[in-house]
Amino acid sequence: MARGRGRERELRVRGGELSTPRLREGTPQRAGLDPGEIDALVSQVRGLTAGERPWAAGVVVVAGRGPVLAVAEAAGWAVRYAAWDPVTGAGVELPVERRVAMTVDTPFDLASLTKLFTSVAAVQQIERGTLGIDALVGAYLPEFRAAAEHGITVRQLLTHTSGLRPELPLYDCADATERLAMLRAEAPVGVPGEYVYSDLNMLLLQHVLERITGRGLDVLIHDGITRPLGMTATRFGPCPGAAATEDQRRPWAKADRGMLRGEVHDENAWALGGVAGHAGLFSTGRDLAVFCRALLAGGSHGPARILGPDFVELLLTPPGLGFALDQPWFMGELAGRGAASHTGFTGTSLVLDPATDTFLVLLANTVHPCRRPPDSRPRAAAATRLARAAAKA
């Protein structure tokens, strides 16, 4: 897979080890991006928070090319509403003086972007030889009898081809013992080998990783990814300063928890204590830009190395391990050349394009104050602007 703009030429020798330039803030011109398209991108994103019923209460957009962070902008509100009124079908707005403005450094509930970190943690173990990509899950977790009986593999978990259903109502279980028993007994309902996106894949993968390493997923991600990359704002919750998400109540939600801010939105992740393979991480736009940059640079950022280039290649080779590849419905014109991405239910997304060495992080609290039918057209439009900015430069 091409890495774009000569990734190998960026490598520097420092103390006998390969090193890549750290991400630094600069201008679109310095990043090799057309300033007109970038201005249009920023204006377009700002407009997403306008009006009485905007696409999102608040938005952060971060984008760049190579080691240059060319865009870091915020608009709207991290906290705009006190509650959701199901009678009027509208949010109950806070007085302006009680709202919290969005900033570039506002943390967000990443929702399913967490899956990317779980996937990288798994590929790290594959690189170390402690995990076999085509190994049977039952070899590591024999007590997960349904997965063992049906021959589910690690690769199937990473590619959502295990046949497991999208989710289980773990949030309705009485206690941790019942939740674990339900997960252990869950058998595939689909045809193994066919793609069915499922949170259960990452929950099983979490158990595999914790079994083979003897460490919790939160520790694996911190020690193996966020700490070496200097991603100090990325962690599992609680995260009190985060952008608000939903006034979570039945019947539109699966639990009655009220307005959420800094507590994981996903009901299953919440039931599991906030640390889960499919959801639970909080992060900022700048931190996620570093994550994107490290993968585009072959697994390194400055002197830190989280994966070798061959294993980044494995991660991003079709059909992708954890990542979705070339999906125009939310990647716009960045799709079609091996671009990798993911979205999160709360309104988060990121995309990295090895062909042009560009990345785009779009974080929004679209579920504030209440979840709604998903609309990824703004994500696709923003990605298209970035693709055109790279093409025109």
Side-chain angles (χ1 to χ4, degrees):
M1 182 183 297
R3 292 289 161 203
R5 304 192 73 203
R7 180 188 61 79
E8 289 80 5
R9 290 194 300 273
E10 292 179 351
L11 295 173
R12 302 287 183 267
V13 176
R14 179 182 301 171
E17 296 183 357
L18 290 177
S19 178
T20 60
R22 290 183 180 273
L23 193 65
R24 62 183 185 275
E25 295 195 20
T27 63
Q29 294 94 327
R30 186 72 179 269
L33 295 169
D34 179 76
E37 289 289 349
I38 293 300
D39 286 345
L41 166 61
V42 171
S43 177
Q44 184 175 291
V45 169
R46 286 187 173 278
L48 298 174
T49 67
E52 291 185 3
R53 298 194 180 189
W55 182 72
V59 176
V60 170
V61 60
V62 174
R65 188 176 197 180
V68 180
L69 184 66
V71 179
E73 297 281 346
W77 304 99
V79 183
R80 176 174 174 174
Y81 303 97
W84 169 255
D85 186 345
V87 176
T88 63
V92 179
E93 295 200 82
L94 290 164
V96 173
E97 64 273 13
R98 291 182 56 198
R99 299 180 191 179
V100 178
M102 190 69 76
T103 73
V104 171
D105 296 319
T106 298
F108 283 76
D109 179 338
L110 296 186
S112 285
L113 293 193
T114 302
K115 293 180 173 74
L116 302 182
F117 290 81
T118 303
S119 299
V120 170
V123 175
Q124 287 177 329
Q125 296 304 316
I126 293 168
E127 181 178 21
R128 291 167 188 165
T130 55
L131 180 65
I133 190 168
D134 290 311
L136 296 173
V137 170
Y140 303 107
L141 303 172
E143 71 275 22
F144 281 64
R145 58 187 183 277
E149 289 171 2
H150 288 83
I152 292 176
T153 68
V154 172
R155 187 187 296 273
Q156 289 174 336
L157 298 182
L158 283 162
T159 57
H160 294 285
T161 56
S162 66
L164 293 170
R165 72 184 75 193
E167 67 171 1
L168 286 171
L170 302 176
Y171 47 83
D172 279 339
C173 293
D175 54 33
T177 300
E178 184 178 341
R179 284 188 286 273
L180 184 58
M182 180 180 287
L183 195 58
R184 286 176 172 176
E186 181 64 15
V189 297
V191 178
E194 291 185 2
Y195 180 86
V196 178
Y197 182 79
S198 173
D199 290 347
L200 303 185
N201 289 316
M202 293 298 158
L203 285 175
L204 260 66
L205 188 59
Q206 174 186 359
H207 281 278
V208 170
L209 292 173
E210 292 180 341
R211 175 64 55 84
I212 64 176
T213 64
R215 295 187 291 168
L217 181 65
D218 52 344
V219 176
L220 291 173
I221 289 175
H222 176 262
D223 290 354
I225 304 173
T226 61
R227 184 172 64 183
L229 293 181
M231 297 172 62
T232 57
T234 304
R235 62 186 185 276
F236 286 96
C239 184
T245 54
E246 186 178 30
D247 180 8
Q248 198 170 90
R249 287 181 279 155
R250 300 176 193 263
W252 58 84
K254 302 163 189 171
D256 291 302
R257 301 169 62 201
M259 183 60 73
L260 301 177
R261 185 184 184 201
E263 298 290 336
V264 63
H265 174 271
D266 182 89
E267 292 94 342
N268 274 342
W270 164 68
L272 292 167
V275 178
H278 71 290
L281 276 176
F282 289 78
S283 189
T284 64
R286 284 195 176 99
D287 263 22
L288 291 176
V290 171
F291 180 68
C292 291
R293 177 64 196 144
L295 294 177
L296 285 169
S300 297
H301 181 250
R305 173 189 176 278
I306 61 168
L307 281 175
D310 289 346
F311 289 89
V312 174
E313 193 89 15
L314 175 66
L315 188 75
L316 303 182
T317 294
L321 302 182
F323 282 87
L325 302 184
D326 292 327
Q327 300 294 314
W329 60 275
F330 68 91
M331 296 165 65
E333 292 180 10
L334 282 179
R337 302 166 299 192
S341 185
H342 212 290
T343 63
F345 185 79
T346 52
T348 58
S349 63
L350 64 79
V351 56
L352 50 98
D353 181 27
T356 58
D357 204 17
T358 57
F359 59 86
L360 173 69
V361 177
L362 184 60
L363 303 177
N365 50 353
T366 57
V367 298
H368 182 53
C370 187
R371 66 187 69 191
R372 65 186 82 180
D375 177 10
S376 281
R377 289 174 297 178
R379 295 187 180 102
T384 292
R385 286 291 185 189
L386 183 60
R388 294 175 180 177
K392 289 182 179 180

